[in-house]
């Protein structure tokens, strides 16, 4: 039953004990509420990936292809500042909208959890490995090379970037 409720977008489950959160009902039919669950590193994955309910983004439904299995994060860092999605750069402080249910292919921007740290990178699947590479004007950022069978988790595909006026 919980899986069905989560797929329909009524709840969000976290990794914590009793970690079930009800998605707030919207007061307008044309808006969808996308929970902001914390931060994602656009740089070295240092900050621990933990779900903090920071609020809700209200986005008009017509702007989104998929309206289920979505969450958002705030970008921290500059390792993806040259990547553009929907006309917006993945700049430090901006919001990203992530789909947990869309298929991921070469060249997609993903949120990956490595050693309990979330990072945002472009993904490339090779024969024996997965490469997460930055798209930055800062030369200090280098790719992350993972074994094809690694325990790392691809949390979802970035489907939208939104400016954060407070970012």
């Amino acid at each position: 039953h919980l899986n069905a409720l989560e797929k329909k977008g009524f709840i969000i489950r976290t990794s914590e004990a009793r970690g079930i959160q009800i998605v707030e009902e919207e007061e307008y039919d044309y808006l969808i509420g996308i929970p902001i669950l914390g931060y994602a590193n656009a740089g070295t994955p240092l900050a621990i990936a933990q779900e903090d309910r920071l609020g809700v983004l209200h986005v008009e439904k017509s702007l989104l292809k998929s309206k289920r299995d979505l969450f958002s994060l705030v970008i921290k860092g500059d390792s993806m500042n040259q990547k553009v999605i929907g006309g917006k750069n993945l700049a430090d402080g901006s919001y990203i909208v992530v789909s947990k249910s869309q298929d991921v292919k070469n060249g997609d921007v993903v949120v990956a959890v490595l050693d309990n740290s979330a990072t945002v990178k472009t993904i490339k699947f090779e024969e024996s490995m997965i490469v997460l590479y930055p798209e930055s004007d800062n030369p200090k950022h280098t790719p992350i090379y993972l074994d094809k069978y690694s325990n790392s988790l691809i949390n979802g595909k970035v489907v939208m970037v939104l400016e954060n006026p407070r970012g």
Side-chain angles (χ1 to χ4, degrees), residues 10 22-27:
F10 295 122
I22 297 173
V23 174
E24 299 169 14
E25 288 292 319
E26 296 306 322
E27 51 190 272

Side-chain angles (χ1 to χ4, degrees), residues 22 51 61 64 109 125 140 145:
I22 297 173
E51 292 182 6
K61 290 179 181 180
L64 298 161
V109 177
F125 297 98
K140 79 174 186 175
Y145 300 92

Side-chain angles (χ1 to χ4, degrees), residues 65-77:
K65 290 181 183 175
S66 171
K67 291 147 188 75
R68 297 182 344 172
D69 296 329
L70 299 174
F71 65 95
S72 61
L73 299 166
V74 179
I75 297 286
K76 291 291 180 191

